[in-house]
Amino acid sequence: MTQQNGSNGDQPIIICQDVHKWFDDFHVLRGIDLTVEVGEVVVIFGPSGSGKSTFIRTINRLEEHQRGEIVVDGIELSHDIRNIEAIRREVGMVFQQFNLFPHLTAIQNVTLGPIWVRRWPKKKAEEEAMKLLERVGIPEQAEKYPAQLSGGQQQRVAIARALAMQPKIMLFDEPTSALDPEMIKEVLDVMMELAESGMTMLVVTHEMGFARAAADRLLFFDGGVIVERGTPEQIFNNPQEERTKLFLSQILQH
Amino acid sequence: MSTIAPELERPTTTIGPIKWVRKNLFNTWYNTLLTLLALWLLWRFVPAFVEWVLASNWDPILSRPVLYFVGQYPAAELWRIGVIVALVSLNFGLSWGAWGGPLRTFAVVLMAGFAVVALLPVSLDTIGLVGRLFMAANIAVVAGGFALGQTRAGQTRWVLAIGLVTFIVILLLMRGFPGVEMVPLVQTTRWGGLMLNLLVAAVGIVASFPLGVLLALGRRSKLPVVSVFSTLFIELVRGVPLVSILFMMSVMLPLFLPEQIRVDRVLRALIGITLFSAAYMAENVRGGLQAIPEGQYDAARAIGLNGPLTTLLIVLPQALRLVIPAIVGQFISLFKDTTLIIIVGINEILGIGKSIVLGNPEWVTAQSEVYVFIGLIFWAFTYAMSYSSRRLERALGVGER
């Protein structure tokens, strides 16, 4: 751990400056500036292809950025592989398609990281994993395989798996988009609880109810830039940009 | 509106045998035609085959059956082969006890095989009382191994370690040591028969599996040197018939090596078969690797697993499970391909059969009997392999998608 490590609490935990990314010649991210404080919940929304998923994937370096600077918890993301692995231990991620490991049971999914990355003894990892499965409300499913669980249960296991690494930041990439309607609430409830517990969260979602209730800030992405940012109050009641108004009217119509 | 529909019992739908035949064999005109054709073929060939079996000269097999199984292995040292068979039985029993489920089938198939040989309706001159008792005793050895293995239930690593040690012990026991009176050296030139086919197949499988996995991973590597070398090796070996690889190993290898170094004939065949099989294995495994969705890599990286751990813990377990049928199919053809080592002068079972027929003028007419017998042996082994693998697939399929 370096001296500039941000665990003292008054430094921002994520600093992005002028982040650019290209997929081949396609310019996906066109200069993102963002500072996130410890414990903040930031909801990112916008049309598909706007670069919002790509952006949160750059924060744990699942995607590489080609210009600009990203500093997470005092560590700059660079080509240095040790930095990347250090960051990934601090940042948990939940995916749209859950991405559970299908050959492992729920509890094995959760204990894999602690045992192999954090080098915890198996017993300790399992005890902690059971606590997490209780926290997300499915301790009785511990010995089941992902294919035997409903979508909502799978996503909750995925959240427990990410939390098992004791991250300082949680990234959510459209966590409820692949779920049947009746299962969305059980996942959002877990996320609400997490937000209230003080976790720093970046959430890509179109669940505006969740955004209104949990977010400290909203970011509207379009065309690879942050078009508008503000509190839920400002964005929902008084959006400034035409594109924001149009998009909100489209998704809030129903 | 709020009344719940009552739960009804499913109506029984069993049908009688005549109805079954009507429904499955004579339901359409072309199905009827096929059924009649099949019946005609059976009527034409089954009696003819039975007649052939009864009229045939089985002497080339019945007079010296041991020859087919161990070749010219010295008679005084045959007890070592017995010990090896018992060790194999013990291992199957142990893994059944310790690992349970999937390995049960292997052990049961093996016990059934022993029972068949022990009770085979041929004269005591062909399979002696001692031989039959030994086969029966092996059933007990499997069962004993099972009981022993149950005390180590779930400890698969322990089973694998014992298996590997046994494998080495078997090789050493077969070869013996020069100057040791108990187990004198038996040159590989005296090794032969089915025993050699099984040995070459087993070594080929055990060695080509890890090599093939490494080649498959190498081919997908980001390091150009590794991937180019792997690709080149795979494509080169796959483009050449096994026979020519075996010839190369036995004729050309000595030309490249200094004169003092002489690689054993059997070893050369082993290396050839292993390299050949590894190239095919690599392509099978690559198919499995490509089927793993990108999200699995994302998830593994997101929890901080590095590249090697991701491969070992996430990718390979899923990829290998997907290609079990292909891998088993390849092992089966590897086993059958071991008959090709005859061309480099090794007395495997087919070669033995040939020399038995050609060695006795009165048996020259009994060629078909010998080859049918050898074919039957291969069929028994390969069918046991494919049957067991189908069970293994089902056992490992638990919780998959």
Side-chain angles (χ1 to χ4, degrees):
Chain A
M1 295 278 153
T2 51
Q3 271 192 330
Q4 43 177 338
N5 192 300
S7 49
N8 53 16
D10 50 0
Q11 258 186 347
I13 195 158
I14 301 172
I15 305 165
C16 300
Q17 275 174 343
D18 194 31
V19 173
H20 288 258
K21 165 148 191 83
W22 287 262
F23 283 127
D24 294 324
D25 286 338
F26 179 55
H27 198 174
V28 203
L29 299 180
R30 307 186 175 185
I32 307 289
D33 291 296
L34 177 68
T35 306
V36 180
E37 304 294 334
V38 174
E40 239 191 319
V41 175
V42 178
V43 164
I44 301 170
F45 69 107
S48 64
S50 61
K52 52 196 194 306
S53 285
T54 306
F55 172 63
I56 71 164
R57 285 165 63 89
T58 59
I59 289 171
N60 64 349
R61 194 88 170 176
L62 288 185
E63 303 289 354
E64 217 173 280
H65 59 287
Q66 279 101 24
R67 225 179 88 184
E69 191 184 63
I70 301 177
V71 181
V72 177
D73 199 25
I75 307 168
E76 192 189 343
L77 283 187
S78 62
H79 285 287
D80 188 338
I81 194 125
R82 275 169 307 174
N83 274 1
I84 297 171
E85 282 173 5
I87 294 290
R88 287 189 180 145
R89 266 175 263 149
E90 308 296 325
V91 182
M93 184 154 194
V94 175
F95 302 89
Q96 180 176 359
Q97 299 295 343
F98 328 137
N99 294 351
L100 288 180
F101 305 127
H103 61 302
L104 301 176
T105 60
I107 190 158
Q108 286 169 340
N109 265 280
V110 180
T111 57
L112 191 81
I115 290 175
W116 289 94
V117 180
R118 291 233 187 260
R119 298 265 161 215
W120 284 7
K122 194 174 172 213
K123 194 155 178 287
K124 181 186 174 195
E126 277 172 357
E127 283 166 9
E128 293 299 317
M130 273 319 286
K131 280 185 209 159
L132 286 170
L133 288 177
E134 267 161 41
R135 187 170 171 191
V136 300
I138 43 172
E140 72 284 355
Q141 312 288 357
E143 299 302 327
K144 288 200 180 157
Y145 286 92
Q148 296 165 310
L149 301 175
S150 73
Q153 290 169 333
Q154 287 191 49
Q155 193 60 300
R156 285 187 282 161
V157 173
I159 294 173
R161 175 176 69 179
L163 290 175
M165 292 298 290
Q166 303 182 321
K168 294 181 179 163
I169 303 164
M170 284 284 281
L171 309 174
F172 291 84
D173 187 3
E174 305 207 31
T176 56
S177 302
L179 293 175
D180 290 334
E182 76 271 24
M183 290 168 188
I184 290 176
K185 184 174 176 297
E186 64 189 50
V187 171
L188 290 180
D189 284 347
V190 171
M191 288 167 63
M192 284 296 294
E193 187 268 325
L194 203 58
E196 279 158 17
S197 76
M199 174 67 74
T200 309
M201 291 163 67
L202 260 68
V203 185
V204 174
T205 187
H206 291 142
E207 292 295 332
M208 288 303 146
F210 172 81
R212 205 183 286 271
D216 296 304
R217 253 194 307 164
L218 261 58
L219 308 179
F220 174 61
F221 261 65
D222 196 7
V225 291
I226 300 176
V227 173
E228 188 164 0
R229 56 182 95 200
T231 61
E233 184 84 350
Q234 290 165 343
I235 297 284
F236 289 126
N237 299 342
N238 191 18
Q240 301 297 310
E241 301 287 332
E242 273 314 307
R243 278 191 281 176
T244 319
K245 285 178 196 164
L246 181 67
F247 186 76
L248 280 174
S249 74
Q250 281 165 345
I251 63 169
L252 293 178
Q253 245 169 18
H254 305 288
Chain B
M1 225 190 94
S2 61
T3 50
I4 296 168
E7 196 176 334
L8 295 178
E9 210 160 284
R10 180 189 168 138
T12 49
T13 48
T14 49
I15 53 169
I18 294 171
K19 248 188 165 175
W20 184 91
V21 166
R22 280 259 287 281
K23 189 179 162 204
N24 291 289
L25 298 179
F26 298 100
N27 56 342
T28 57
W29 65 267
Y30 50 86
N31 200 0
T32 307
L33 206 67
L34 285 173
T35 303
L36 291 175
L37 187 71
L39 283 176
W40 179 77
L41 283 172
L42 286 176
W43 172 76
R44 194 79 183 70
F45 287 103
V46 170
F49 182 72
V50 171
E51 209 173 297
W52 176 81
V53 167
L54 294 176
S56 292
N57 176 10
W58 295 99
D59 281 350
I61 295 141
L62 296 178
S63 60
R64 301 282 304 280
V66 175
L67 215 51
Y68 290 88
F69 295 96
V70 298
Q72 291 170 304
Y73 205 80
E77 304 299 328
L78 276 183
W79 63 270
R80 276 147 73 169
I81 306 299
V83 172
I84 287 170
V85 173
L87 278 174
V88 171
S89 307
L90 185 69
N91 257 273
F92 271 90
L94 279 176
S95 2
W96 172 23
W99 203 10
L103 278 178
R104 205 183 112 202
T105 320
F106 287 85
V108 171
V109 166
L110 188 70
M111 287 200 286
F114 284 129
V116 167
V117 177
L119 300 173
L120 220 55
V122 292
S123 78
L124 283 178
D125 295 334
T126 304
I127 304 178
L129 208 57
V130 179
R132 287 174 194 265
L133 283 177
F134 174 72
M135 292 296 155
N138 265 293
I139 300 178
V141 173
V142 177
F146 171 69
L148 205 64
Q150 274 191 320
T151 62
R152 295 269 182 165
Q155 300 180 26
T156 45
R157 260 184 229 173
W158 180 80
V159 175
L160 282 176
I162 299 262
L164 217 64
V165 171
T166 312
F167 195 61
I168 294 163
V169 169
I170 286 175
L171 288 176
L172 292 178
L173 192 62
M174 212 155 155
R175 180 174 173 276
F177 303 92
V180 180
E181 208 174 313
M182 264 273 283
V183 280
L185 181 72
V186 177
Q187 296 286 356
T188 53
T189 44
R190 305 287 303 264
W191 298 15
L194 182 68
M195 171 188 92
L196 196 58
N197 293 80
L198 288 172
L199 179 83
V200 171
V203 174
I205 288 167
V206 170
S208 72
F209 182 70
L211 196 60
V213 171
L214 283 179
L215 280 170
L217 294 172
R219 188 165 189 174
R220 286 163 55 98
S221 168
K222 285 197 193 96
L223 309 171
V225 177
V226 176
S227 87
V228 167
F229 173 80
S230 306
T231 310
L232 220 70
F233 176 88
I234 292 168
E235 295 303 336
L236 247 151
V237 171
R238 278 178 7 122
V240 176
L242 177 56
V243 175
S244 59
I245 290 180
L246 290 173
F247 265 129
M248 287 245 301
M249 293 304 293
S250 77
V251 180
M252 290 179 68
L253 197 64
L255 297 181
F256 296 127
L257 290 173
E259 252 175 74
Q260 307 89 303
I261 301 176
R262 288 191 45 101
V263 184
D264 182 272
R265 230 171 8 161
V266 172
L267 188 62
R268 280 186 305 217
L270 273 176
I271 296 172
I273 283 217
T274 301
L275 294 182
F276 182 77
S277 174
Y280 281 87
M281 176 67 63
E283 287 300 276
N284 282 336
V285 173
R286 192 166 69 100
L289 292 176
Q290 278 169 340
I292 306 301
E294 202 54 38
Q296 293 288 304
Y297 293 91
D298 284 348
R301 281 190 290 168
I303 58 171
L305 290 179
N306 58 26
L309 278 181
T310 304
T311 304
L312 208 64
L313 300 172
I314 308 301
V315 179
L316 277 183
Q318 295 183 59
L320 293 181
R321 195 168 310 189
L322 284 173
V323 294
I324 288 176
I327 289 178
V328 172
Q330 202 205 316
F331 286 164
I332 288 175
S333 63
L334 171 70
F335 174 50
K336 290 187 292 185
D337 282 349
T338 58
T339 50
L340 288 174
I341 59 178
I342 183 181
I343 64 142
V344 290
I346 296 170
N347 282 320
E348 49 70 59
I349 186 167
L350 200 62
I352 299 238
K354 202 173 163 192
S355 28
I356 287 178
V357 171
L358 297 180
N360 287 312
E362 73 266 39
W363 287 344
V364 171
T365 50
Q367 283 201 42
S368 343
E369 287 85 337
V370 169
Y371 292 131
V372 164
F373 171 68
I374 292 172
L376 209 63
I377 290 178
F378 272 95
W379 176 80
F381 273 89
T382 51
Y383 185 72
M385 277 163 94
S386 74
Y387 175 75
S388 306
S389 93
R390 262 177 287 146
R391 299 295 299 260
L392 186 67
E393 269 162 56
R394 236 178 300 160
L396 288 177
V398 182
E400 275 282 272
R401 278 159 235 276

PDB file of all heavy atoms in Angstrom, chain A residues 132-155:
ATOM      1  N   LEU A 132     -22.352 -13.789   3.959  1.00  0.00           N
ATOM      2  CA  LEU A 132     -22.750 -12.984   2.801  1.00  0.00           C
ATOM      3  C   LEU A 132     -24.009 -13.545   2.151  1.00  0.00           C
ATOM      4  O   LEU A 132     -24.895 -12.786   1.742  1.00  0.00           O
ATOM      5  CB  LEU A 132     -21.613 -12.928   1.781  1.00  0.00           C
ATOM      6  CG  LEU A 132     -20.453 -12.021   2.182  1.00  0.00           C
ATOM      7  CD1 LEU A 132     -19.285 -12.201   1.247  1.00  0.00           C
ATOM      8  CD2 LEU A 132     -20.911 -10.566   2.189  1.00  0.00           C
ATOM      9  N   LEU A 133     -24.089 -14.881   2.053  1.00  0.00           N
ATOM     10  CA  LEU A 133     -25.287 -15.474   1.455  1.00  0.00           C
ATOM     11  C   LEU A 133     -26.509 -15.170   2.313  1.00  0.00           C
ATOM     12  O   LEU A 133     -27.614 -15.000   1.811  1.00  0.00           O
ATOM     13  CB  LEU A 133     -25.099 -16.984   1.264  1.00  0.00           C
ATOM     14  CG  LEU A 133     -24.135 -17.379   0.145  1.00  0.00           C
ATOM     15  CD1 LEU A 133     -23.957 -18.892   0.081  1.00  0.00           C
ATOM     16  CD2 LEU A 133     -24.626 -16.869  -1.202  1.00  0.00           C
ATOM     17  N   GLU A 134     -26.300 -15.085   3.642  1.00  0.00           N
ATOM     18  CA  GLU A 134     -27.405 -14.686   4.513  1.00  0.00           C
ATOM     19  C   GLU A 134     -27.777 -13.234   4.258  1.00  0.00           C
ATOM     20  O   GLU A 134     -28.952 -12.869   4.211  1.00  0.00           O
ATOM     21  CB  GLU A 134     -27.019 -14.883   5.984  1.00  0.00           C
ATOM     22  CG  GLU A 134     -27.435 -16.242   6.518  1.00  0.00           C
ATOM     23  CD  GLU A 134     -26.667 -16.622   7.771  1.00  0.00           C
ATOM     24  OE1 GLU A 134     -26.463 -15.746   8.627  1.00  0.00           O
ATOM     25  OE2 GLU A 134     -26.255 -17.796   7.860  1.00  0.00           O
ATOM     26  N   ARG A 135     -26.743 -12.411   4.062  1.00  0.00           N
ATOM     27  CA  ARG A 135     -26.992 -10.988   3.835  1.00  0.00           C
ATOM     28  C   ARG A 135     -27.817 -10.774   2.567  1.00  0.00           C
ATOM     29  O   ARG A 135     -28.685  -9.907   2.526  1.00  0.00           O
ATOM     30  CB  ARG A 135     -25.650 -10.266   3.728  1.00  0.00           C
ATOM     31  CG  ARG A 135     -25.767  -8.763   3.665  1.00  0.00           C
ATOM     32  CD  ARG A 135     -24.407  -8.109   3.803  1.00  0.00           C
ATOM     33  NE  ARG A 135     -24.494  -6.684   3.525  1.00  0.00           N
ATOM     34  CZ  ARG A 135     -23.431  -5.911   3.362  1.00  0.00           C
ATOM     35  NH1 ARG A 135     -22.215  -6.436   3.455  1.00  0.00           N
ATOM     36  NH2 ARG A 135     -23.568  -4.631   3.113  1.00  0.00           N
ATOM     37  N   VAL A 136     -27.548 -11.571   1.515  1.00  0.00           N
ATOM     38  CA  VAL A 136     -28.333 -11.419   0.282  1.00  0.00           C
ATOM     39  C   VAL A 136     -29.579 -12.308   0.290  1.00  0.00           C
ATOM     40  O   VAL A 136     -30.291 -12.404  -0.699  1.00  0.00           O
ATOM     41  CB  VAL A 136     -27.492 -11.701  -0.989  1.00  0.00           C
ATOM     42  CG1 VAL A 136     -26.324 -10.742  -1.085  1.00  0.00           C
ATOM     43  CG2 VAL A 136     -27.015 -13.143  -1.020  1.00  0.00           C
ATOM     44  N   GLY A 137     -29.800 -13.000   1.423  1.00  0.00           N
ATOM     45  CA  GLY A 137     -31.082 -13.676   1.633  1.00  0.00           C
ATOM     46  C   GLY A 137     -31.221 -15.068   1.054  1.00  0.00           C
ATOM     47  O   GLY A 137     -32.345 -15.542   0.873  1.00  0.00           O
ATOM     48  N   ILE A 138     -30.125 -15.762   0.716  1.00  0.00           N
ATOM     49  CA  ILE A 138     -30.284 -17.113   0.167  1.00  0.00           C
ATOM     50  C   ILE A 138     -29.308 -18.118   0.775  1.00  0.00           C
ATOM     51  O   ILE A 138     -28.663 -18.883   0.039  1.00  0.00           O
ATOM     52  CB  ILE A 138     -30.133 -17.121  -1.377  1.00  0.00           C
ATOM     53  CG1 ILE A 138     -28.963 -16.230  -1.785  1.00  0.00           C
ATOM     54  CG2 ILE A 138     -31.406 -16.730  -2.070  1.00  0.00           C
ATOM     55  CD1 ILE A 138     -28.635 -16.328  -3.260  1.00  0.00           C
ATOM     56  N   PRO A 139     -29.182 -18.165   2.120  1.00  0.00           N
ATOM     57  CA  PRO A 139     -28.237 -19.125   2.705  1.00  0.00           C
ATOM     58  C   PRO A 139     -28.613 -20.571   2.391  1.00  0.00           C
ATOM     59  O   PRO A 139     -27.746 -21.432   2.277  1.00  0.00           O
ATOM     60  CB  PRO A 139     -28.333 -18.846   4.208  1.00  0.00           C
ATOM     61  CG  PRO A 139     -29.661 -18.207   4.390  1.00  0.00           C
ATOM     62  CD  PRO A 139     -29.911 -17.425   3.141  1.00  0.00           C
ATOM     63  N   GLU A 140     -29.929 -20.832   2.182  1.00  0.00           N
ATOM     64  CA  GLU A 140     -30.358 -22.222   1.956  1.00  0.00           C
ATOM     65  C   GLU A 140     -29.984 -22.724   0.566  1.00  0.00           C
ATOM     66  O   GLU A 140     -30.101 -23.907   0.287  1.00  0.00           O
ATOM     67  CB  GLU A 140     -31.871 -22.340   2.204  1.00  0.00           C
ATOM     68  CG  GLU A 140     -32.766 -21.700   1.152  1.00  0.00           C
ATOM     69  CD  GLU A 140     -32.842 -20.166   1.251  1.00  0.00           C
ATOM     70  OE1 GLU A 140     -32.258 -19.603   2.206  1.00  0.00           O
ATOM     71  OE2 GLU A 140     -33.469 -19.544   0.370  1.00  0.00           O
ATOM     72  N   GLN A 141     -29.516 -21.825  -0.324  1.00  0.00           N
ATOM     73  CA  GLN A 141     -29.159 -22.253  -1.686  1.00  0.00           C
ATOM     74  C   GLN A 141     -27.662 -22.504  -1.839  1.00  0.00           C
ATOM     75  O   GLN A 141     -27.170 -22.704  -2.947  1.00  0.00           O
ATOM     76  CB  GLN A 141     -29.576 -21.190  -2.712  1.00  0.00           C
ATOM     77  CG  GLN A 141     -30.988 -20.665  -2.557  1.00  0.00           C
ATOM     78  CD  GLN A 141     -32.026 -21.686  -2.962  1.00  0.00           C
ATOM     79  OE1 GLN A 141     -31.683 -22.771  -3.416  1.00  0.00           O
ATOM     80  NE2 GLN A 141     -33.286 -21.361  -2.760  1.00  0.00           N
ATOM     81  N   ALA A 142     -26.926 -22.485  -0.718  1.00  0.00           N
ATOM     82  CA  ALA A 142     -25.457 -22.494  -0.785  1.00  0.00           C
ATOM     83  C   ALA A 142     -24.887 -23.649  -1.589  1.00  0.00           C
ATOM     84  O   ALA A 142     -23.909 -23.489  -2.313  1.00  0.00           O
ATOM     85  CB  ALA A 142     -24.875 -22.504   0.629  1.00  0.00           C
ATOM     86  N   GLU A 143     -25.509 -24.832  -1.472  1.00  0.00           N
ATOM     87  CA  GLU A 143     -24.920 -26.010  -2.107  1.00  0.00           C
ATOM     88  C   GLU A 143     -25.452 -26.250  -3.523  1.00  0.00           C
ATOM     89  O   GLU A 143     -25.141 -27.251  -4.139  1.00  0.00           O
ATOM     90  CB  GLU A 143     -25.166 -27.256  -1.243  1.00  0.00           C
ATOM     91  CG  GLU A 143     -24.559 -27.170   0.150  1.00  0.00           C
ATOM     92  CD  GLU A 143     -23.049 -26.947   0.130  1.00  0.00           C
ATOM     93  OE1 GLU A 143     -22.377 -27.445  -0.800  1.00  0.00           O
ATOM     94  OE2 GLU A 143     -22.547 -26.249   1.030  1.00  0.00           O
ATOM     95  N   LYS A 144     -26.273 -25.344  -4.019  1.00  0.00           N
ATOM     96  CA  LYS A 144     -26.839 -25.556  -5.363  1.00  0.00           C
ATOM     97  C   LYS A 144     -25.919 -24.987  -6.441  1.00  0.00           C
ATOM     98  O   LYS A 144     -25.127 -24.080  -6.189  1.00  0.00           O
ATOM     99  CB  LYS A 144     -28.212 -24.898  -5.458  1.00  0.00           C
ATOM    100  CG  LYS A 144     -29.252 -25.647  -4.658  1.00  0.00           C
ATOM    101  CD  LYS A 144     -30.639 -25.308  -5.138  1.00  0.00           C
ATOM    102  CE  LYS A 144     -31.686 -26.067  -4.330  1.00  0.00           C
ATOM    103  NZ  LYS A 144     -32.976 -25.400  -4.368  1.00  0.00           N
ATOM    104  N   TYR A 145     -26.076 -25.536  -7.640  1.00  0.00           N
ATOM    105  CA  TYR A 145     -25.329 -25.014  -8.789  1.00  0.00           C
ATOM    106  C   TYR A 145     -26.129 -23.882  -9.428  1.00  0.00           C
ATOM    107  O   TYR A 145     -27.360 -23.863  -9.318  1.00  0.00           O
ATOM    108  CB  TYR A 145     -25.092 -26.130  -9.809  1.00  0.00           C
ATOM    109  CG  TYR A 145     -24.046 -27.116  -9.370  1.00  0.00           C
ATOM    110  CD1 TYR A 145     -24.389 -28.260  -8.668  1.00  0.00           C
ATOM    111  CD2 TYR A 145     -22.699 -26.876  -9.634  1.00  0.00           C
ATOM    112  CE1 TYR A 145     -23.424 -29.165  -8.240  1.00  0.00           C
ATOM    113  CE2 TYR A 145     -21.727 -27.771  -9.220  1.00  0.00           C
ATOM    114  CZ  TYR A 145     -22.091 -28.911  -8.524  1.00  0.00           C
ATOM    115  OH  TYR A 145     -21.132 -29.785  -8.108  1.00  0.00           O
ATOM    116  N   PRO A 146     -25.442 -22.944 -10.096  1.00  0.00           N
ATOM    117  CA  PRO A 146     -26.138 -21.802 -10.693  1.00  0.00           C
ATOM    118  C   PRO A 146     -27.342 -22.205 -11.541  1.00  0.00           C
ATOM    119  O   PRO A 146     -28.385 -21.557 -11.479  1.00  0.00           O
ATOM    120  CB  PRO A 146     -25.051 -21.153 -11.557  1.00  0.00           C
ATOM    121  CG  PRO A 146     -23.788 -21.454 -10.830  1.00  0.00           C
ATOM    122  CD  PRO A 146     -23.984 -22.813 -10.231  1.00  0.00           C
ATOM    123  N   ALA A 147     -27.206 -23.308 -12.316  1.00  0.00           N
ATOM    124  CA  ALA A 147     -28.303 -23.701 -13.192  1.00  0.00           C
ATOM    125  C   ALA A 147     -29.557 -24.087 -12.410  1.00  0.00           C
ATOM    126  O   ALA A 147     -30.645 -24.147 -12.967  1.00  0.00           O
ATOM    127  CB  ALA A 147     -27.874 -24.856 -14.091  1.00  0.00           C
ATOM    128  N   GLN A 148     -29.391 -24.380 -11.115  1.00  0.00           N
ATOM    129  CA  GLN A 148     -30.541 -24.781 -10.301  1.00  0.00           C
ATOM    130  C   GLN A 148     -31.197 -23.580  -9.610  1.00  0.00           C
ATOM    131  O   GLN A 148     -32.142 -23.748  -8.860  1.00  0.00           O
ATOM    132  CB  GLN A 148     -30.101 -25.801  -9.242  1.00  0.00           C
ATOM    133  CG  GLN A 148     -29.586 -27.105  -9.866  1.00  0.00           C
ATOM    134  CD  GLN A 148     -28.839 -27.953  -8.873  1.00  0.00           C
ATOM    135  OE1 GLN A 148     -27.940 -27.470  -8.183  1.00  0.00           O
ATOM    136  NE2 GLN A 148     -29.181 -29.225  -8.789  1.00  0.00           N
ATOM    137  N   LEU A 149     -30.662 -22.374  -9.858  1.00  0.00           N
ATOM    138  CA  LEU A 149     -31.181 -21.181  -9.188  1.00  0.00           C
ATOM    139  C   LEU A 149     -31.930 -20.302 -10.183  1.00  0.00           C
ATOM    140  O   LEU A 149     -31.661 -20.330 -11.385  1.00  0.00           O
ATOM    141  CB  LEU A 149     -30.024 -20.369  -8.592  1.00  0.00           C
ATOM    142  CG  LEU A 149     -29.140 -21.082  -7.573  1.00  0.00           C
ATOM    143  CD1 LEU A 149     -27.981 -20.184  -7.179  1.00  0.00           C
ATOM    144  CD2 LEU A 149     -29.943 -21.468  -6.346  1.00  0.00           C
ATOM    145  N   SER A 150     -32.879 -19.494  -9.658  1.00  0.00           N
ATOM    146  CA  SER A 150     -33.575 -18.536 -10.513  1.00  0.00           C
ATOM    147  C   SER A 150     -32.621 -17.389 -10.837  1.00  0.00           C
ATOM    148  O   SER A 150     -31.571 -17.239 -10.215  1.00  0.00           O
ATOM    149  CB  SER A 150     -34.800 -17.997  -9.789  1.00  0.00           C
ATOM    150  OG  SER A 150     -34.394 -17.097  -8.772  1.00  0.00           O
ATOM    151  N   GLY A 151     -33.001 -16.571 -11.828  1.00  0.00           N
ATOM    152  CA  GLY A 151     -32.151 -15.449 -12.216  1.00  0.00           C
ATOM    153  C   GLY A 151     -31.853 -14.515 -11.054  1.00  0.00           C
ATOM    154  O   GLY A 151     -30.714 -14.102 -10.843  1.00  0.00           O
ATOM    155  N   GLY A 152     -32.900 -14.211 -10.277  1.00  0.00           N
ATOM    156  CA  GLY A 152     -32.709 -13.301  -9.146  1.00  0.00           C
ATOM    157  C   GLY A 152     -31.758 -13.877  -8.110  1.00  0.00           C
ATOM    158  O   GLY A 152     -30.904 -13.175  -7.573  1.00  0.00           O
ATOM    159  N   GLN A 153     -31.913 -15.195  -7.864  1.00  0.00           N
ATOM    160  CA  GLN A 153     -31.011 -15.844  -6.905  1.00  0.00           C
ATOM    161  C   GLN A 153     -29.582 -15.842  -7.428  1.00  0.00           C
ATOM    162  O   GLN A 153     -28.633 -15.597  -6.677  1.00  0.00           O
ATOM    163  CB  GLN A 153     -31.476 -17.274  -6.643  1.00  0.00           C
ATOM    164  CG  GLN A 153     -32.782 -17.337  -5.851  1.00  0.00           C
ATOM    165  CD  GLN A 153     -33.366 -18.735  -5.820  1.00  0.00           C
ATOM    166  OE1 GLN A 153     -33.140 -19.543  -6.722  1.00  0.00           O
ATOM    167  NE2 GLN A 153     -34.122 -19.032  -4.775  1.00  0.00           N
ATOM    168  N   GLN A 154     -29.435 -16.104  -8.743  1.00  0.00           N
ATOM    169  CA  GLN A 154     -28.086 -16.106  -9.321  1.00  0.00           C
ATOM    170  C   GLN A 154     -27.430 -14.743  -9.163  1.00  0.00           C
ATOM    171  O   GLN A 154     -26.258 -14.642  -8.792  1.00  0.00           O
ATOM    172  CB  GLN A 154     -28.144 -16.459 -10.812  1.00  0.00           C
ATOM    173  CG  GLN A 154     -28.454 -17.914 -11.069  1.00  0.00           C
ATOM    174  CD  GLN A 154     -28.246 -18.281 -12.544  1.00  0.00           C
ATOM    175  OE1 GLN A 154     -27.228 -17.983 -13.135  1.00  0.00           O
ATOM    176  NE2 GLN A 154     -29.229 -18.917 -13.126  1.00  0.00           N
ATOM    177  N   GLN A 155     -28.208 -13.672  -9.427  1.00  0.00           N
ATOM    178  CA  GLN A 155     -27.609 -12.347  -9.337  1.00  0.00           C
ATOM    179  C   GLN A 155     -27.236 -12.023  -7.896  1.00  0.00           C
ATOM    180  O   GLN A 155     -26.237 -11.364  -7.633  1.00  0.00           O
ATOM    181  CB  GLN A 155     -28.575 -11.301  -9.915  1.00  0.00           C
ATOM    182  CG  GLN A 155     -27.955  -9.938 -10.164  1.00  0.00           C
ATOM    183  CD  GLN A 155     -26.802  -9.973 -11.149  1.00  0.00           C
ATOM    184  OE1 GLN A 155     -25.791 -10.650 -10.913  1.00  0.00           O
ATOM    185  NE2 GLN A 155     -26.931  -9.264 -12.254  1.00  0.00           N
TER     186      GLN A 155
END
